[in-house]
Amino acid sequence: MPQPPQSYRELETLITAEYATLSKRLQQTARFMLDHPQEVALATVAKIAEQADVTPSTLIRLANSLGFKGFSEMQQLFRSRLVDELPNYTERIRAVRSATGETPDSTQLLWEFADANRAVLEQLPSRINPESLEKALDIFEKAHAIHVMGARRSFMIASYMTYALAHVDKPALLVNGLGGMYGEQLRAMSQHDALLTISFSPYAEESQKACEDAHQRGLPSVVITDSNLSPLARFADVVFVVNEAEVKSFRSLTASLCLTQTLAIALGVRQDKKRKA
């Protein structure tokens, strides 16, 4: 079976190319999905099937015919599109209400976010390769200084990591682009330093350039991202793929913060052990 599309645009292109070969019922389903991407992103299978006037099994058959293991895997591309194309929170809230007909109260949202974050934290240790953890710590330990890059949504994680590294006595510099000086800050990295970059879809251009620059200069690089297909992954010595919780198209940062905290404290333990040896 060919590899399924990796983005909404790829899916749209595939459906267009394969449309004539689909049965009338699958054509009806595909047409509804492309015409109502917000509803597909946010509604349940039963609700989507009802709106498209097909059975839930038809949605699954369409997903399978396009190379997906199930409907939820295909639906994720619609959710990613929503996040990428509706960066304004107010617009996303309106999209949620339009697609689901819901206006969740604050307590309901609190429970949903707490449950979703609990689930990803429970899964995180099994999804992180222990060898990758040790390799990243090797890079950080050997580096004279660690430069930490995280633009936009990832800035909070980068900021925390810089703070945590300072508290385990590891020189760290936050690449924040203050005054538009991303280039100058990256050029300050020496051949004895390392770069940690955090970036999630729709991957910040500044973060991609930082990883590429470090790679071209032969500097060790660690990346925290959301997919092995991330444009940053090919430039990194170590890649951590983190699956964050998502509630109604709003993504959390809980798992990434947990991972960075682990890296910082584990590095501190290593350094303290070495000093006492």
Side-chain angles (χ1 to χ4, degrees), residues 91-178:
E91 292 177 2
R92 286 193 216 168
I93 291 170
R94 288 172 181 163
V96 170
R97 295 182 63 187
S98 173
T100 65
E102 297 179 358
T103 304
D105 62 31
S106 56
T107 302
Q108 179 185 343
L109 284 173
L110 178 59
W111 274 105
E112 290 187 34
F113 277 111
D115 285 343
N117 281 298
R118 184 184 303 113
V120 296
L121 285 176
E122 289 175 349
Q123 298 165 6
L124 181 63
S126 64
R127 292 183 172 178
I128 297 298
N129 187 334
E131 293 181 1
S132 295
L133 273 176
E134 295 306 314
K135 186 175 180 180
L137 291 171
D138 288 341
I139 290 173
F140 292 160
E141 187 176 19
K142 293 174 184 176
H144 288 188
I146 301 171
H147 299 254
V148 188
M149 171 76 179
R152 301 180 180 82
R153 188 168 74 99
S154 306
F155 180 79
M156 181 179 72
I157 305 169
S159 179
Y160 168 77
M161 185 61 168
T162 307
Y163 165 85
L165 288 172
H167 280 266
V168 297
D169 297 324
K170 186 68 183 185
L173 297 96
L174 179 63
V175 182
N176 55 19
L178 187 63

XYZ file of all heavy atoms in Angstrom, residues 91-178:
690
model
N -10.811 32.791 15.864
C -11.312 32.122 14.671
C -11.462 30.624 14.911
O -12.410 29.995 14.427
C -10.376 32.386 13.494
C -10.374 33.834 13.032
C -9.382 34.068 11.914
O -8.728 33.105 11.479
O -9.257 35.224 11.462
N -10.539 30.038 15.659
C -10.636 28.602 15.947
C -11.853 28.312 16.825
O -12.548 27.315 16.645
C -9.365 28.115 16.643
C -8.177 28.013 15.712
C -7.059 27.248 16.377
N -5.774 27.797 16.014
C -4.626 27.497 16.598
N -4.624 26.640 17.604
N -3.491 28.024 16.206
N -12.095 29.170 17.804
C -13.260 28.990 18.681
C -14.540 29.043 17.854
O -15.455 28.230 18.039
C -13.272 30.060 19.789
C -12.112 29.815 20.763
C -14.603 30.055 20.526
C -11.877 30.942 21.742
N -14.608 29.985 16.920
C -15.783 30.079 16.068
C -15.922 28.829 15.199
O -17.036 28.345 14.958
C -15.683 31.317 15.177
C -15.876 32.629 15.945
C -15.568 33.815 15.070
N -15.722 35.075 15.808
C -15.214 36.242 15.399
N -14.542 36.301 14.263
N -15.389 37.328 16.129
N -14.777 28.296 14.719
C -14.808 27.091 13.893
C -15.319 25.904 14.700
O -16.087 25.086 14.199
C -13.416 26.796 13.346
N -14.888 25.808 15.938
C -15.351 24.722 16.810
C -16.860 24.808 17.005
O -17.589 23.812 16.876
C -14.640 24.787 18.178
C -15.298 23.831 19.164
C -13.164 24.432 18.030
N -17.342 25.982 17.302
C -18.783 26.153 17.544
C -19.585 25.869 16.287
O -20.660 25.271 16.338
C -19.055 27.569 18.043
C -18.440 27.877 19.409
C -18.778 29.280 19.861
N -20.214 29.455 20.045
C -20.790 30.617 20.308
N -20.056 31.715 20.410
N -22.089 30.699 20.456
N -19.045 26.283 15.132
C -19.742 26.056 13.867
C -19.802 24.574 13.517
O -20.835 24.069 13.065
C -19.029 26.820 12.743
O -19.572 26.498 11.490
N -18.680 23.869 13.727
C -18.598 22.461 13.332
C -19.336 21.540 14.285
O -19.913 20.544 13.871
C -17.135 22.044 13.230
N -19.306 21.851 15.573
C -19.861 20.927 16.566
C -21.177 21.396 17.164
O -21.905 20.598 17.768
C -18.867 20.726 17.717
O -18.689 21.973 18.417
C -17.515 20.248 17.193
N -21.466 22.691 17.026
C -22.673 23.219 17.647
C -22.547 23.338 19.155
O -23.527 23.554 19.851
N -21.306 23.218 19.660
C -21.075 23.243 21.102
C -20.536 24.593 21.557
O -19.825 25.278 20.827
C -20.062 22.174 21.507
C -20.496 20.748 21.248
C -19.413 19.762 21.658
O -18.333 20.208 22.108
O -19.644 18.559 21.531
N -20.874 24.953 22.783
C -20.240 26.075 23.463
C -19.815 25.551 24.834
O -20.550 25.697 25.823
C -21.206 27.271 23.622
O -21.708 27.637 22.335
C -20.477 28.471 24.239
N -18.656 24.898 24.907
C -18.236 24.255 26.157
C -17.992 25.280 27.256
O -17.462 26.365 27.006
C -16.938 23.541 25.767
C -16.427 24.299 24.587
C -17.648 24.754 23.840
N -18.391 24.920 28.488
C -18.136 25.836 29.598
C -16.712 25.613 30.116
O -16.013 24.691 29.711
C -19.169 25.672 30.705
C -19.161 24.270 31.328
O -18.081 23.636 31.379
O -20.222 23.818 31.783
N -16.282 26.474 31.023
C -14.894 26.465 31.483
C -14.529 25.168 32.192
O -13.421 24.633 32.001
C -14.643 27.655 32.415
O -15.568 27.642 33.493
N -15.425 24.630 32.984
C -15.129 23.385 33.704
C -14.983 22.214 32.738
O -14.092 21.374 32.892
C -16.237 23.074 34.728
O -16.348 24.172 35.637
C -15.911 21.802 35.500
N -15.834 22.169 31.739
C -15.732 21.117 30.726
C -14.398 21.185 30.000
O -13.733 20.173 29.777
C -16.879 21.245 29.719
C -16.836 20.194 28.602
C -17.915 20.425 27.558
O -18.872 21.154 27.788
N -17.762 19.803 26.401
N -13.979 22.400 29.627
C -12.694 22.567 28.948
C -11.540 22.144 29.846
O -10.573 21.508 29.385
C -12.517 24.024 28.519
C -13.323 24.464 27.299
C -13.180 25.969 27.108
C -12.860 23.729 26.047
N -11.628 22.487 31.134
C -10.569 22.114 32.071
C -10.421 20.598 32.125
O -9.307 20.058 32.082
C -10.878 22.674 33.456
C -9.871 22.309 34.569
C -8.468 22.791 34.205
C -10.322 22.897 35.898
N -11.531 19.884 32.228
C -11.488 18.420 32.260
C -10.933 17.854 30.952
O -10.122 16.914 30.961
C -12.894 17.862 32.519
C -13.225 17.785 33.980
C -14.046 18.613 34.679
C -12.721 16.838 34.925
N -14.102 18.250 35.999
C -13.302 17.155 36.178
C -11.845 15.757 34.837
C -13.030 16.423 37.332
C -11.573 15.023 35.988
C -12.162 15.352 37.215
N -11.342 18.420 29.825
C -10.885 17.906 28.534
C -9.384 18.114 28.361
O -8.664 17.209 27.909
C -11.653 18.573 27.391
C -13.106 18.137 27.308
C -13.790 18.673 26.065
O -13.123 18.791 25.024
O -14.997 18.966 26.131
N -8.889 19.303 28.708
C -7.450 19.552 28.590
C -6.662 18.689 29.580
O -5.598 18.150 29.242
C -7.141 21.038 28.808
C -7.323 21.877 27.585
C -8.350 22.806 27.499
C -6.467 21.746 26.503
C -8.527 23.572 26.363
C -6.624 22.515 25.360
C -7.663 23.436 25.291
N -7.166 18.558 30.797
C -6.471 17.746 31.798
C -6.410 16.283 31.369
O -5.359 15.638 31.471
C -7.180 17.875 33.156
N -7.516 15.745 30.874
C -7.535 14.350 30.425
C -6.603 14.138 29.241
O -5.874 13.141 29.174
C -8.961 13.939 30.041
C -9.850 13.714 31.254
O -9.303 13.556 32.359
O -11.084 13.701 31.097
N -6.628 15.060 28.280
C -5.788 14.917 27.088
C -4.306 14.997 27.448
O -3.482 14.214 26.960
C -6.140 16.003 26.071
N -3.953 15.917 28.340
C -2.551 16.052 28.745
C -2.094 14.857 29.580
O -0.939 14.420 29.470
C -2.348 17.356 29.524
C -2.253 18.562 28.618
O -1.360 18.652 27.795
N -3.186 19.491 28.757
N -2.973 14.345 30.410
C -2.637 13.156 31.201
C -2.302 11.981 30.271
O -1.337 11.251 30.488
C -3.795 12.795 32.121
C -3.483 11.624 33.062
C -4.690 11.244 33.892
N -5.201 12.368 34.674
C -6.369 12.945 34.482
N -7.172 12.514 33.519
N -6.760 13.947 35.238
N -3.076 11.841 29.218
C -2.873 10.727 28.284
C -1.525 10.829 27.577
O -0.789 9.839 27.475
C -4.004 10.681 27.264
N -1.163 12.024 27.102
C 0.106 12.140 26.374
C 1.305 11.996 27.315
O 2.351 11.474 26.920
C 0.200 13.469 25.586
C -0.863 13.529 24.514
C 0.138 14.680 26.487
N 1.159 12.441 28.561
C 2.260 12.278 29.514
C 2.484 10.803 29.853
O 3.627 10.359 30.013
C 1.975 13.076 30.785
C 2.158 14.592 30.679
C 1.738 15.264 31.974
C 3.602 14.952 30.345
N 1.407 10.041 29.931
C 1.547 8.620 30.206
C 2.233 7.899 29.053
O 2.969 6.930 29.254
C 0.171 8.000 30.465
C -0.445 8.418 31.796
C -1.856 7.887 31.979
O -2.426 7.368 30.982
O -2.392 7.992 33.098
N 2.026 8.378 27.838
C 2.611 7.747 26.660
C 4.029 8.216 26.376
O 4.792 7.516 25.695
C 1.733 8.038 25.437
C 0.324 7.483 25.527
C -0.597 8.084 24.487
O -0.176 8.843 23.617
N -1.886 7.754 24.564
N 4.402 9.384 26.879
C 5.682 10.000 26.529
C 6.901 9.107 26.771
O 7.734 8.945 25.864
C 5.840 11.327 27.282
C 7.135 12.099 27.004
C 7.209 12.530 25.545
C 7.226 13.324 27.925
N 7.076 8.497 27.954
C 8.298 7.695 28.181
C 8.481 6.554 27.180
O 9.618 6.252 26.782
C 8.094 7.153 29.610
C 7.171 8.135 30.252
C 6.231 8.562 29.163
N 7.392 5.929 26.756
C 7.505 4.815 25.822
C 7.792 5.278 24.400
O 8.204 4.479 23.553
C 6.218 3.979 25.839
O 5.112 4.743 25.377
N 7.587 6.554 24.116
C 7.805 7.078 22.771
C 9.168 7.760 22.605
O 9.524 8.160 21.494
C 6.684 8.061 22.411
C 5.340 7.364 22.240
C 4.263 8.323 21.815
N 3.031 7.617 21.482
C 1.898 8.200 21.103
N 1.857 9.517 21.014
N 0.832 7.488 20.826
N 9.893 7.913 23.698
C 11.217 8.532 23.632
C 12.280 7.437 23.727
O 12.313 6.673 24.696
C 11.403 9.562 24.774
C 10.383 10.701 24.624
C 12.829 10.112 24.761
C 10.503 11.503 23.353
N 13.125 7.380 22.730
C 14.186 6.372 22.690
C 15.235 6.682 23.756
O 15.835 7.766 23.740
C 14.825 6.376 21.295
C 15.819 5.250 21.103
O 16.404 4.763 22.072
N 16.014 4.842 19.865
N 15.504 5.743 24.682
C 16.517 5.984 25.724
C 17.887 6.315 25.143
O 18.630 7.125 25.717
C 16.544 4.663 26.501
C 15.199 4.059 26.272
C 14.828 4.441 24.874
N 18.231 5.701 24.015
C 19.527 5.985 23.382
C 19.590 7.435 22.895
O 20.646 8.070 22.964
C 19.767 5.023 22.218
C 19.948 3.570 22.644
C 20.199 2.657 21.467
O 20.254 3.161 20.315
O 20.348 1.432 21.692
N 18.456 7.935 22.412
C 18.412 9.332 21.971
C 18.577 10.278 23.157
O 19.250 11.316 23.053
C 17.080 9.622 21.263
O 16.973 8.868 20.079
N 17.978 9.928 24.282
C 18.153 10.733 25.488
C 19.625 10.823 25.875
O 20.152 11.913 26.144
C 17.360 10.127 26.651
C 15.893 10.520 26.817
C 15.276 9.741 27.963
C 15.755 12.019 27.051
N 20.288 9.682 25.899
C 21.698 9.663 26.302
C 22.572 10.400 25.292
O 23.520 11.095 25.668
C 22.174 8.215 26.468
C 21.488 7.462 27.605
C 21.590 8.184 28.935
O 22.705 8.645 29.272
O 20.569 8.309 29.627
N 22.262 10.261 24.005
C 23.049 10.952 22.974
C 22.890 12.458 23.097
O 23.868 13.217 22.962
C 22.628 10.484 21.581
C 23.500 11.037 20.460
C 23.108 10.445 19.101
C 24.003 11.018 17.999
N 23.630 10.460 16.664
N 21.662 12.905 23.351
C 21.430 14.348 23.532
C 22.178 14.862 24.750
O 22.788 15.945 24.719
C 19.936 14.622 23.674
N 22.164 14.090 25.831
C 22.886 14.494 27.044
C 24.392 14.519 26.802
O 25.101 15.380 27.342
C 22.540 13.553 28.194
C 21.099 13.675 28.721
C 20.793 12.549 29.700
C 20.882 15.030 29.381
N 24.901 13.592 25.985
C 26.326 13.610 25.619
C 26.672 14.915 24.914
O 27.700 15.540 25.204
C 26.654 12.433 24.687
C 26.645 11.090 25.398
O 26.743 11.082 26.645
O 26.553 10.062 24.710
N 25.803 15.310 23.989
C 26.029 16.555 23.239
C 26.015 17.752 24.177
O 26.893 18.624 24.123
C 24.957 16.711 22.138
C 25.186 15.679 21.031
C 24.967 18.135 21.569
C 24.073 15.639 19.987
N 25.032 17.810 25.060
C 24.913 18.944 25.976
C 26.072 18.990 26.964
O 26.576 20.066 27.303
C 23.587 18.869 26.738
C 22.378 19.073 25.874
C 21.127 18.628 26.300
C 22.463 19.715 24.655
C 19.996 18.816 25.514
C 21.342 19.912 23.857
C 20.106 19.451 24.292
N 26.491 17.825 27.439
C 27.574 17.781 28.418
C 28.886 18.271 27.821
O 29.664 18.978 28.469
C 27.729 16.354 28.942
C 28.726 16.235 30.089
C 28.797 14.827 30.657
O 28.372 13.875 29.963
O 29.281 14.675 31.788
N 29.157 17.905 26.581
C 30.416 18.283 25.935
C 30.428 19.743 25.485
O 31.499 20.342 25.351
C 30.666 17.380 24.724
C 30.935 15.929 25.075
C 31.036 15.072 23.824
C 31.219 13.602 24.176
N 31.221 12.742 22.955
N 29.256 20.303 25.253
C 29.186 21.673 24.744
C 29.646 22.686 25.787
O 29.326 22.555 26.974
C 27.755 21.988 24.317
N 30.397 23.683 25.338
C 30.773 24.777 26.234
C 29.534 25.588 26.617
O 29.417 26.057 27.744
C 31.802 25.680 25.557
C 33.157 25.055 25.449
N 34.270 25.746 25.024
C 33.587 23.790 25.706
C 35.333 24.940 25.024
N 34.940 23.751 25.430
N 28.641 25.758 25.650
C 27.384 26.483 25.888
C 26.303 25.896 24.991
O 26.593 25.390 23.905
C 27.558 27.969 25.620
N 25.069 25.981 25.453
C 23.937 25.485 24.674
C 23.085 26.676 24.244
O 22.639 27.465 25.076
C 23.075 24.506 25.499
C 23.916 23.311 25.964
C 21.874 24.024 24.673
C 23.200 22.410 26.950
N 22.890 26.797 22.944
C 22.040 27.846 22.400
C 20.655 27.238 22.178
O 20.535 26.175 21.553
C 22.616 28.387 21.096
C 23.980 28.990 21.270
N 24.204 30.345 21.251
C 25.187 28.400 21.490
C 25.497 30.573 21.443
N 26.113 29.402 21.595
N 19.630 27.898 22.684
C 18.273 27.333 22.656
C 17.378 28.212 21.796
O 17.236 29.409 22.051
C 17.686 27.210 24.074
C 16.363 26.447 24.025
C 18.668 26.506 25.006
N 16.764 27.568 20.781
C 15.955 28.308 19.808
C 14.520 27.796 19.825
O 14.272 26.584 19.729
C 16.556 28.088 18.407
C 15.714 28.608 17.262
S 15.823 30.394 17.149
C 14.781 30.731 15.739
N 13.561 28.702 19.952
C 12.148 28.335 19.877
C 11.341 29.567 19.539
O 11.250 30.484 20.351
N 10.787 29.602 18.351
C 10.034 30.779 17.912
C 8.534 30.559 18.088
O 8.050 29.435 18.101
C 10.345 31.079 16.440
N 7.828 31.655 18.256
C 6.370 31.639 18.365
C 5.889 30.698 19.478
O 6.278 30.860 20.621
C 5.749 31.292 17.012
C 6.152 32.295 15.912
C 5.545 31.950 14.561
N 5.932 32.913 13.553
C 7.096 32.889 12.881
N 7.954 31.911 13.108
N 7.374 33.821 12.007
N 5.063 29.711 19.131
C 4.473 28.853 20.167
C 5.537 28.131 20.972
O 5.342 27.821 22.151
C 3.535 27.831 19.514
C 2.720 27.017 20.492
C 1.631 26.253 19.775
N 2.136 25.129 19.024
C 2.109 23.863 19.464
N 1.637 23.604 20.662
N 2.560 22.886 18.722
N 6.681 27.850 20.353
C 7.737 27.095 21.015
C 8.605 27.957 21.931
O 9.452 27.429 22.661
C 8.643 26.430 19.963
O 7.894 25.655 19.069
N 8.400 29.274 21.892
C 9.267 30.168 22.658
C 9.208 29.875 24.152
O 10.220 29.944 24.852
C 8.875 31.627 22.399
C 9.727 32.613 23.149
C 10.988 32.944 22.697
C 9.270 33.201 24.323
C 11.787 33.849 23.395
C 10.055 34.095 25.031
C 11.317 34.416 24.561
N 8.027 29.555 24.641
C 7.885 29.288 26.074
C 8.767 28.109 26.505
O 9.394 28.149 27.561
C 6.423 28.983 26.410
C 6.177 28.705 27.893
S 4.446 28.383 28.262
C 4.249 26.760 27.540
N 8.834 27.066 25.677
C 9.648 25.901 26.015
C 11.120 26.262 25.984
O 11.896 25.883 26.867
C 9.360 24.749 25.038
C 7.877 24.432 25.016
C 10.149 23.503 25.420
C 7.473 23.495 23.910
N 11.523 27.011 24.947
C 12.921 27.429 24.832
C 13.320 28.306 26.011
O 14.418 28.177 26.566
C 13.134 28.166 23.513
N 12.429 29.199 26.410
C 12.701 30.087 27.530
C 12.881 29.290 28.821
O 13.811 29.535 29.600
C 11.559 31.096 27.680
O 11.775 31.955 28.777
N 11.981 28.333 29.044
C 12.102 27.504 30.249
C 13.399 26.699 30.235
O 14.085 26.596 31.264
C 10.915 26.535 30.381
C 11.192 25.501 31.446
C 11.085 25.841 32.795
C 11.658 24.233 31.116
C 11.414 24.930 33.786
C 11.984 23.315 32.093
C 11.855 23.659 33.426
O 12.199 22.750 34.403
N 13.750 26.123 29.089
C 14.959 25.299 29.011
C 16.198 26.127 29.328
O 17.103 25.665 30.034
C 15.073 24.676 27.617
C 16.234 23.701 27.466
S 16.097 22.295 28.607
C 17.358 21.198 27.945
N 16.237 27.349 28.833
C 17.368 28.232 29.123
C 17.454 28.507 30.620
O 18.536 28.485 31.220
C 17.221 29.557 28.353
O 17.020 29.275 26.968
C 18.475 30.416 28.505
N 16.309 28.759 31.235
C 16.237 28.980 32.683
C 16.725 27.753 33.443
O 17.534 27.849 34.374
C 14.789 29.311 33.055
C 14.479 29.213 34.530
C 14.729 30.279 35.398
C 13.920 28.045 35.055
C 14.433 30.179 36.749
C 13.622 27.938 36.403
C 13.885 29.004 37.247
O 13.603 28.898 38.582
N 16.232 26.573 33.056
C 16.581 25.341 33.767
C 18.075 25.022 33.636
O 18.711 24.605 34.613
C 15.744 24.180 33.229
N 18.627 25.218 32.444
C 20.052 24.943 32.237
C 20.913 25.859 33.106
O 21.935 25.431 33.654
C 20.416 25.114 30.760
C 19.887 24.033 29.813
C 20.139 24.432 28.357
C 20.531 22.676 30.114
N 20.496 27.104 33.242
C 21.251 28.038 34.084
C 21.276 27.572 35.530
O 22.261 27.761 36.243
C 20.640 29.436 33.984
N 20.206 26.901 35.957
C 20.116 26.447 37.342
C 20.820 25.119 37.585
O 20.883 24.658 38.738
C 18.652 26.371 37.773
C 18.089 27.716 38.145
N 18.068 28.185 39.439
C 17.571 28.704 37.378
C 17.544 29.398 39.461
N 17.227 29.733 38.219
N 21.330 24.500 36.525
C 22.198 23.324 36.715
C 23.631 23.682 36.300
O 24.436 22.819 35.996
C 21.683 22.093 35.934
C 20.326 21.668 36.445
C 21.653 22.345 34.427
N 23.887 25.003 36.291
C 25.234 25.527 36.023
C 25.756 25.161 34.640
O 26.951 24.891 34.456
C 26.226 25.049 37.092
C 25.874 25.557 38.478
O 25.397 26.711 38.564
O 26.024 24.807 39.448
N 24.862 25.160 33.654
C 25.285 24.951 32.282
C 25.057 26.243 31.501
O 23.921 26.735 31.415
C 24.470 23.828 31.619
C 24.978 23.458 30.221
C 26.349 22.791 30.301
C 26.915 22.477 28.950
N 28.193 21.730 29.047
N 26.109 26.837 30.940
C 25.931 28.065 30.169
C 24.911 27.863 29.039
O 25.025 26.921 28.253
C 27.333 28.333 29.606
C 28.253 27.666 30.587
C 27.528 26.426 31.026
N 23.910 28.722 29.004
C 22.860 28.606 27.991
C 22.454 29.991 27.521
O 22.379 30.930 28.319
C 21.650 27.865 28.555
N 22.190 30.111 26.226
C 21.784 31.384 25.651
C 20.499 31.191 24.857
O 20.406 30.285 24.018
C 22.868 31.944 24.737
C 24.214 32.275 25.417
C 25.176 31.108 25.254
C 24.805 33.536 24.841
N 19.518 32.023 25.134
C 18.244 31.961 24.436
C 18.334 32.744 23.133
O 18.625 33.936 23.131
C 17.140 32.550 25.316
C 15.730 32.583 24.719
C 15.223 31.171 24.439
C 14.779 33.314 25.672
N 18.104 32.063 22.024
C 18.095 32.720 20.714
C 16.695 33.295 20.518
O 15.778 32.609 20.078
C 18.440 31.719 19.584
C 18.480 32.430 18.234
C 19.769 31.036 19.856
N 16.532 34.562 20.869
C 15.189 35.159 20.872
C 14.963 36.167 19.756
O 13.867 36.687 19.592
C 14.904 35.820 22.222
C 15.962 36.850 22.607
O 16.705 37.333 21.756
N 16.036 37.174 23.894
N 16.003 36.456 18.994
C 15.841 37.378 17.863
C 15.490 38.787 18.268
O 14.942 39.558 17.465
N 15.809 39.165 19.507
C 15.485 40.513 19.983
C 16.100 41.552 19.049
O 17.288 41.505 18.733
C 16.014 40.702 21.408
C 15.617 42.011 22.106
C 14.109 42.091 22.277
C 16.308 42.115 23.462
